[in-house]
Amino acid sequence: MTELPRPARDSWKTSAGFVLALVGSAVGLGNLWRFAYTASTGGGAAFVLVYLLFVFGIGIPILTAELAIGRATGTSPIRALDRIGGPRWRRVGGMFVFAGFAVLSYYSVIMGWVGRVLVDSIRGAIPSDTAGYFAGISTGVGAVLFHLTGIAITALVVQGGIRRGIERAATILMPTLFILLAALAIWSFTLSGAGAGYAFFLRPKLDSLLDGRVIAGAAGQAFFSLSLGMGAIITYASYLQGQQSLPGQAVIVGLGDTSVALLGGLVTFPIVFHFGLADVVLANPSGALFIALPQAFQQLGAAGTLLGAIFFLALYIAAITSAFSMLEVVVSGLIDGWGAPRRRATLLVAVAAALAGIPAALSLDYLSFIDKLVGEALIVLGGVFIAVLTGWVWSRGAAAELTRGFPHPRLQFAWIWLLRTVVPIVLAITFVTTVRQLGPLAEALF
Ligand code: PHE
């Protein structure tokens, strides 16, 4: 009997499927949970402009760099960085894998809250005191159970592989998400008070932009929202085969991600203002989503049950398609590095992330600390390394990979110089500012 050939590495079936999975990774809780709050309190339209500047000036160059590293090496982050930068860069790869794992562990706790509100809206079981309700569901046994469920569903998809798991899920879920959100935005546009909501969200407040923390917040938010600095994009791109235009894809992802962030604000603020709940939003970063909106939906009776279910379903879809990419970072490392079978690797990482997330499901203080430490500081530091690696160490290879199939020397030149100069400097400043805000413990860690 002849031996069967080893199956080749998994890959994306279509370019469209790949882009949908990438947008799925980018569009997540960051867009709907963090963006609206940060923008409305941080300067409205002025914040949005600064944010866009970061997305296109810093985010897209790094996104393109991660795509180039992934496609050129065809392997998971630790091995990928080793291959292009040498063994010293393995540690940076290890930092990415750690970040992916750590973010997954608490991200799925927040996703769990969304799942809980979704289930309770359908059951009509949300009490009128939504602040008390949220305090009850955000920590404790219930939070742990919904966190475990989220990890389990994520693992179920990821164990199916790239083509039959992640790509297939993203191809169904992402269009669904856009339709749900667009429908909600149209509905909330018809509410009285919509104008005040839009104004609250977008009225430019220039003075808040003089605060360095707001600027650093915009950069960190852009970074998190594009799924950068933790190897997620490198990992997804490592399953590419072919000659796609990487800058083109990066721009699609940047535009898709930013439009959903804006759409999220256009959905939420009219509702919040229609029901006179602006104070709730200002009081607490989770206030808009988990306290004000459930209350608003409740006041609408049966229609509210339906609208609430649609909203939280959309949010859950956004979150889980991001969670796929975090889990895949670690799983692909075990497959490529140790030859582990995908199923076993997925199970192992899922169990570990489930356990690691339990503290975040028990303490909100811990959750916000680790979110800032890893979800803001560490990934931005990861970005500095990506910029240095592609701009200085691997610049020739990177430039060639960037424009594989369509030589474009000027684009290569501009991109490499951005990565050499502006990008790492801005990211390093952001990193320092973020760590300073975190206090003595984080300063000691770095
Ligand atoms: N981009 C996702 C969001 O906005 C979060 C994420 C970060 C996903 C890093 C993968 C990697 O919610």
Side-chain angles (χ1 to χ4, degrees):
M1 210 174 83
T2 50
E3 208 179 308
L4 288 171
R6 257 192 97 206
R9 201 164 178 268
D10 207 345
S11 64
W12 303 101
K13 193 167 166 210
T14 65
S15 286
F18 167 65
V19 171
L20 283 174
L22 266 190
V23 175
S25 169
V27 170
L29 293 167
N31 301 61
L32 302 162
W33 175 60
R34 274 206 326 202
F35 182 79
Y37 176 78
T38 337
S40 57
T41 55
F47 178 94
V48 174
L49 274 185
V50 175
Y51 176 80
L52 286 176
L53 210 67
F54 282 125
V55 165
F56 289 92
I58 310 287
I60 302 269
I62 295 283
L63 180 58
T64 320
E66 289 203 25
L67 288 172
I69 294 173
R71 188 175 69 178
T73 58
T75 186
S76 48
I78 299 185
R79 286 160 51 102
L81 294 204
D82 181 345
R83 213 168 275 179
I84 57 178
R88 275 195 301 171
W89 285 85
R90 290 181 74 88
R91 254 187 262 160
V92 176
M95 185 178 101
F96 285 164
V97 176
F98 169 77
F101 177 79
V103 175
L104 174 64
S105 71
Y106 72 82
Y107 197 83
S108 82
V109 171
I110 306 170
M111 187 164 93
W113 304 342
V114 176
R116 175 72 180 266
V117 180
L118 173 61
V119 170
D120 286 347
S121 327
I122 297 174
R123 288 171 51 225
I126 296 184
S128 50
D129 170 20
T130 50
Y133 166 76
F134 178 63
I137 65 158
S138 54
T139 54
V141 180
V144 172
L145 289 179
F146 275 87
H147 151 66
L148 298 181
T149 312
I151 295 265
I153 307 175
T154 308
L156 214 62
V157 171
V158 168
Q159 60 90 27
I162 295 301
R163 199 177 272 238
R164 287 188 305 152
I166 297 175
E167 181 170 357
R168 197 187 276 178
T171 311
I172 301 169
L173 293 175
M174 292 317 289
T176 311
L177 170 67
F178 286 115
I179 294 171
L180 295 181
L181 277 181
L184 285 169
I186 294 172
W187 167 71
S188 67
F189 173 72
T190 65
L191 294 172
S192 68
Y198 297 140
F200 175 75
F201 178 30
L202 294 173
R203 188 179 8 185
K205 293 172 274 278
L206 285 174
D207 44 338
S208 47
L209 285 183
L210 300 175
D211 184 345
R213 283 172 303 182
V214 171
I215 305 280
Q221 170 65 21
F223 226 68
F224 183 82
S225 194
L226 291 171
S227 305
L228 299 175
M230 62 163 71
I233 306 293
I234 297 180
T235 306
Y236 271 13
S238 74
Y239 296 105
L240 274 178
Q241 288 169 338
Q243 308 274 348
Q244 310 79 357
S245 149
L246 300 183
Q249 287 177 327
V251 170
I252 296 179
V253 175
L255 289 177
D257 186 61
T258 309
S259 17
V260 175
L262 291 172
L263 199 57
L266 297 183
V267 170
T268 15
F269 287 107
I271 306 179
V272 166
F273 272 77
H274 180 72
F275 290 96
L277 297 166
D279 297 348
V280 184
V281 177
L282 287 175
N284 173 339
S286 302
L289 284 192
F290 295 107
I291 301 173
L293 289 183
Q295 193 162 327
F297 290 132
Q298 208 179 43
Q299 293 180 25
L300 284 169
T305 306
L306 180 69
L307 288 162
I310 293 179
F311 182 82
F312 285 99
L313 178 65
L315 202 52
Y316 204 82
I317 292 177
I320 203 156
T321 47
S322 299
F324 298 160
S325 66
M326 299 170 199
L327 182 55
E328 182 60 31
V329 170
V330 193
V331 167
S332 78
L334 293 183
I335 299 176
D336 294 339
W338 295 350
R342 175 172 281 275
R343 287 228 169 133
R344 211 175 300 160
T346 312
L347 185 66
L348 186 75
V349 182
V351 169
L355 294 175
I358 290 178
L362 297 177
S363 153
L364 285 180
D365 284 340
Y366 172 78
L367 193 155
S368 50
F369 177 75
I370 183 139
D371 177 37
K372 247 199 155 21
L373 184 70
V374 183
E376 279 187 55
L378 199 63
I379 63 172
V380 167
L381 182 63
V384 177
F385 283 117
I386 293 280
V388 171
L389 178 63
T390 28
W392 294 97
V393 182
W394 182 59
S395 52
R396 280 209 188 173
E401 187 64 35
L402 174 81
T403 54
R404 200 160 96 187
F406 68 101
H408 196 314
R410 263 201 231 151
L411 185 67
Q412 289 176 329
F413 182 81
W415 181 63
I416 293 291
W417 276 99
L418 264 181
L419 287 170
R420 284 189 173 180
T421 54
V422 180
V423 173
I425 294 172
V426 172
L427 289 176
I429 297 174
T430 307
F431 173 69
V432 172
T433 318
T434 315
V435 171
R436 284 237 179 101
Q437 284 173 58
L438 269 166
L441 177 55
E443 284 189 34
L445 271 175
F446 288 108

